[in-house]
Amino acid sequence: MPAKIISGKQIAADIRQELKAEVSELRRNQIFPKLVVVLVGNHPASESYVKGKIRAAEEIGMESVLIRLEDTISEQELLDKVDELNKDTTVHGILVQLPLPKQISEQRIIEAIAAEKDVDGFHPESVGRMVIGLETFLSCTPQGIIELLQRSDVPIQGKHAVVVGRSNIVGKPVALLLLQKDATVTICHSKTSDLAAITKQADILIAAVGRAEMITRDHVKPGAVVIDVGVNRTEKGLVGDVKFDEVSEIASAITPVPGGVGPMTITMLMANTIESAKRHAR
Ligand code: NDP
């Protein structure tokens, strides 16, 4: 039986409806959630990500501001801008779109954003709090993956989840969140030997590698749930890390690319900004 398609697009649309209602309720109570996105330079992929974020904010009735800065800006100038936004009490979420030009240390900028406005969840304080299970902002892609699983009624407790990829923004945090949901978790990476032998044990397989269609049917146990985080631009268009046609024949459920994890990432950013505004009001 072909796999059920887990439509991130549909689930994200449902969540955005809920968020829209929440924003109008907050506005009635004089709370106006506001997201500021800082874009340095005009990297084409960043332009499109940023536009998606601003559009999503508009769609749910949330205030959003895009600050464009020249790619010749110095690190100090960007730090000053972040400091100004940190102090602005009308701003609840600050996102500095990565990558940044080479004269600027991304880590220094991430650490300069006030933890209480770190809606991307990249600040070491946010990451540390996530690791020990304290209230924080969870980074958006891993949080979106958990939402996708939960809203698709995929059981996590007691299941073997295998995560391929160990980046700080996807692989490691999603593995941690799955562990917190009581999965038994294995993390694979480029030095893993016999990858297929491990991925074939997965009840839930998360591919976050950035290599077009590298996960084939030989990597997947029949009946597994497969979440494809990869976004790879190829001659045949946008493809994931999973060979969708053949894996969808044996998986029980699978996310498509596009229309899977991507829309969830942006939606979680909106949810984090609303949460930040609520915390600020409290
Ligand atoms: P990184 O490049 O930071 O990490 C890739 C990971 O894959 C690394 O841990 C690397 O291992 C591992 N890897 C590379 N080659 C292999 C291999 N042959 N076998 C096993 N593991 C391997 O990527 P990101 O985590 O930032 O992103 C992953 C993908 O997800 C990309 O396609 C990206 O575009 C996409 N993405 C999508 C998002 C969305 O919202 N849909 C959001 C964020 C990312 P090692 O550590 O050993 O080098």
Side-chain angles (χ1 to χ4, degrees), residues 36-37 75 91 175-176 197 200 203 220 276 281:
V36 175
V37 178
E75 184 177 280
V91 174
L176 242 306
K200 256 184 150 357
D203 302 309
V220 180
S276 175

Side-chain angles (χ1 to χ4, degrees), residues 88-149:
D88 183 340
T89 53
T90 68
V91 174
H92 305 103
I94 304 171
L95 182 147
V96 178
Q97 184 66 45
L98 303 178
L100 291 171
K102 57 183 179 316
Q103 73 274 18
I104 301 174
S105 154
E106 290 185 353
Q107 193 56 33
R108 218 167 279 153
I109 301 302
I110 288 171
E111 291 183 27
I113 296 171
E116 70 272 16
K117 299 188 182 188
D118 174 39
V119 286
D120 236 353
F122 290 168
H123 193 287
E125 186 178 321
S126 309
V127 177
R129 292 179 68 89
M130 176 198 67
V131 172
I132 53 178
L134 297 176
E135 184 182 79
T136 186
F137 293 116
L138 299 175
S139 65
C140 300
T141 303
Q143 189 185 351
I145 294 169
I146 300 294
E147 278 285 333
L148 271 184
L149 293 171

